[in-house]
């Protein structure tokens, strides 16, 4: 597998003025690598990509590639709902030297399955980079079927799929249909273990910002055949997995990280920080972090 088993979709730390906090970005990259991330997605949804400018994304790609310095793969989030713009950003990311790109299904347009296929095919054929497809119907309003993803998996440089439909039946069908050298990753932390059980390769995670070592241990335990340990870790971490999505991501993540001094809780509009009631509700899953 090109990207490993634990991939983190990295957030973008902002200053109180809502500019990128490059010092905190560097610390985050180092921390993710130190706690087991094999690869890092930069400028994905967790990074608040809809509110990052084109130039900010390019700066993040350059910075992450330089700071990772070969210790982890850097996957650039270059997908959008505009095929030509996706190609442009993907080519620029390739020039920077990232290790791969993640392409989200086009949002808002609501393309047909054939439209999805042609979009991804056109972008994949415009780059030499390895491509990870990203299916997340909860955010895009369109679901790529297993048949469409399997069809795309025949393209030479489509090497991975991040599946966040939450549909284990669809994911099981997908794993059965794609070539053996195409890795299917869970896009939901809470489904990591179930997806491994049906043939998945790993996780593109949010929770690994906070519990990376435990997630890596869970994955390694599963593949070592120690399913009891893997299940125990899954059950222990489940409140964190769910808590990180108690409101719009990455709002709870940034709040939890701010308690550790790792970044400001700031998010860019139209997202807003957690209110006092939400913070009180978060206490139960935040306690899990204190025991690690």
């Amino acid at each position: 597998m090109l990207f490993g088993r634990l991939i983190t979709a990295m957030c973008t730390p902002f200053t109180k003025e809502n500019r990128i906090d490059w010092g905190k970005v560097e610390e985050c990259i180092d921390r993710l690598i130190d706690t087991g991330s094999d690869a890092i997605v930069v400028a994905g949804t967790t990074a608040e990509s809809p509110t990052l400018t084109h130039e900010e994304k390019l700066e993040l790609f350059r910075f992450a590639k330089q700071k990772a310095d070969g210790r982890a793969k850097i996957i650039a989030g270059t997908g959008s709902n505009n095929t030509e713009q996706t190609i442009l950003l993907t080519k620029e990311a390739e020039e920077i030297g990232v290790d791969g790109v993640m392409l989200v299904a086009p949002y808002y347009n609501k393309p047909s399955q054939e439209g999805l296929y042609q979009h991804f095919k056109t972008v994949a054929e415009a780059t030499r980079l390895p491509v990870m497809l990203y299916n997340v119907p909860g955010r895009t309003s369109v679901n790529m079927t297993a048949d469409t993803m399997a069809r795309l998996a025949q393209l030479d440089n489509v090497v991975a799929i991040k599946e966040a439909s939450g549909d284990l039946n669809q994911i099981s069908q997908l794993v059965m249909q794609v070539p053996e050298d195409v890795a299917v990753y869970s896009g939901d932390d809470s489904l990591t273990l179930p997806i491994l059980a049906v043939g998945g390769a790993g996780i593109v995670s949010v929770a690994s910002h906070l519990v990376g070592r435990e997630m890596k241990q869970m994955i390694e335990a599963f593949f070592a055949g120690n399913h009891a340990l893997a299940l125990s870790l899954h059950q222990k971490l489940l409140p964190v997995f769910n808590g990180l999505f108690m409101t719009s991501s990455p709002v709870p993540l940034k709040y939890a990280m701010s308690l550790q001094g790792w970044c400001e809780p700031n998010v860019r509009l139209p997202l807003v920080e957690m209110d006092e009631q939400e913070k009180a509700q978060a206490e139960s899953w935040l306690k899990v972090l204190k025991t690690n």
Side-chain angles (χ1 to χ4, degrees):
M1 292 185 307
L2 184 62
F3 300 134
R5 298 206 182 276
L6 178 59
I7 304 170
T8 299
M10 186 177 72
C11 72
T12 307
F14 295 129
T15 65
K16 292 180 179 178
E17 295 73 35
N18 260 330
R19 305 299 181 191
I20 295 176
D21 188 332
W22 295 105
K24 294 299 185 183
V25 174
E26 182 173 5
E27 290 176 10
C28 189
I29 291 169
D30 287 338
R31 187 181 312 109
L32 292 176
I33 295 171
D34 290 345
T35 54
S37 291
D38 302 304
I40 298 171
V41 174
V42 179
T45 309
T46 310
E48 299 174 67
S49 56
T51 58
L52 293 173
T53 68
H54 187 92
E55 186 53 43
E56 283 177 327
K57 291 178 182 179
L58 293 177
E59 290 175 2
L60 281 164
F61 300 159
R62 293 188 194 99
F63 188 87
K65 182 62 180 176
Q66 178 187 6
K67 297 302 178 181
D69 194 26
R71 295 175 295 156
K73 302 284 188 181
I74 298 299
I75 305 169
T78 60
S80 76
N81 64 343
N82 180 320
T83 305
E84 289 301 319
Q85 287 297 314
T86 300
I87 290 172
L88 173 62
L89 186 57
T90 298
K91 287 184 172 180
E92 290 174 316
E94 183 173 347
E95 291 173 3
I96 288 169
V98 300
D99 300 293
V101 291
M102 186 176 75
L103 306 177
V104 68
Y107 39 86
Y108 191 74
N109 316 61
K110 297 189 74 172
S112 66
Q113 294 300 309
E114 183 61 24
L116 290 167
Y117 176 79
Q118 294 297 335
H119 167 81
F120 286 115
K121 179 176 181 287
T122 301
V123 178
E125 290 179 343
T127 182
R128 295 185 299 274
L129 287 171
V131 170
M132 174 185 285
L133 308 178
Y134 180 18
N135 185 42
V136 57
R139 287 187 179 269
T140 64
S141 80
V142 62
N143 177 54
M144 279 198 290
T145 64
D147 288 345
T148 298
M149 289 185 279
R151 187 180 172 199
L152 285 162
Q154 303 301 319
L155 299 174
D156 288 343
N157 58 336
V158 172
V159 302
I161 299 170
K162 177 184 177 183
E163 231 293 1
S165 68
D167 184 343
L168 275 175
N169 182 62
Q170 172 169 295
I171 297 165
S172 299
Q173 291 293 329
L174 176 63
V175 171
M176 292 167 60
Q177 290 179 240
V178 298
E180 289 185 1
D181 59 352
V182 174
V184 176
Y185 291 91
S186 174
D188 296 295
D189 284 302
S190 62
L191 291 182
T192 304
L193 188 57
I195 289 176
L196 294 182
V198 299
I203 172 69
V204 182
S205 175
V206 175
S208 50
H209 285 86
L210 306 171
V211 288
R213 287 190 177 90
E214 292 83 355
M215 295 197 70
K216 194 65 172 286
Q217 185 184 10
M218 179 181 71
I219 294 168
E220 290 177 345
F222 175 84
F223 284 106
N226 191 345
H227 296 159
L229 175 58
L231 177 59
S232 174
L233 287 163
H234 166 79
Q235 292 171 337
K236 175 185 177 182
L237 298 175
L238 191 59
V240 178
F241 297 159
N242 293 330
L244 286 170
F245 290 87
M246 61 180 288
T247 186
S248 302
S249 179
V251 174
L253 170 67
K254 283 192 164 180
Y255 173 66
M257 291 178 66
S258 73
L259 297 179
Q260 304 290 332
W262 293 345
C263 74
E264 296 290 340
N266 302 353
V267 289
R268 286 178 173 176
L269 286 170
L271 298 182
V272 294
E273 294 178 36
M274 291 171 62
D275 60 29
E276 293 306 313
Q277 182 177 357
E278 289 169 332
K279 290 176 183 178
Q281 292 172 349
E283 284 301 314
S284 60
W285 62 268
L286 288 170
K287 289 177 183 176
V288 176
L289 302 178
K290 296 174 184 177
T291 64
N292 290 335

